Amino acid sequence: MDIKGKVGQRVRELRHELRLSQEALANKAGVDRTYMTDVENGRRNISVEILEKIILALETSFQDFFTAKEFKK
């Protein structure tokens, strides 16, 4: 799995933990719902600025986001 897929998988995992819809997360992060769908499906090469918005909307830190099993090895 490439990095876009790993990021998308982690976003989906954290969104489910918060019991948020894609639309709710997109609104919280200030991005379009269809953009969020593409992120979760690994079809977007997102910028660091957008990634920061999503991570903050997920109420986590960069460290916690990237220490998940998806990013090991």
Side-chain angles (χ1 to χ4, degrees):
M1 181 182 308
D2 68 357
I3 188 67
K4 294 183 293 186
K6 291 177 182 181
V7 167
Q9 185 175 354
R10 183 67 172 143
V11 168
R12 182 179 294 115
E13 177 183 293
L14 292 171
R15 177 176 63 78
H16 284 192
E17 286 178 13
L18 292 174
R19 299 182 186 268
L20 292 173
S21 66
Q22 281 184 340
E23 185 171 12
L25 178 58
N27 288 336
K28 201 171 173 184
V31 299
D32 189 81
R33 184 200 52 80
T34 59
Y35 187 90
M36 189 61 66
T37 300
D38 287 347
V39 168
E40 286 192 8
N41 289 317
R43 294 189 301 248
R44 284 285 180 162
N45 190 15
I46 62 177
S47 69
V48 175
E49 289 89 0
I50 296 294
L51 181 59
E52 179 182 38
K53 287 181 179 185
I54 293 171
I55 288 173
L56 292 174
L58 290 167
E59 301 172 12
T60 193
S61 66
F62 271 87
Q63 180 177 358
D64 288 340
F65 187 89
F66 285 108
T67 55
K69 66 184 179 307
E70 290 88 355
F71 302 103
K72 304 273 192 233
K73 189 173 180 189

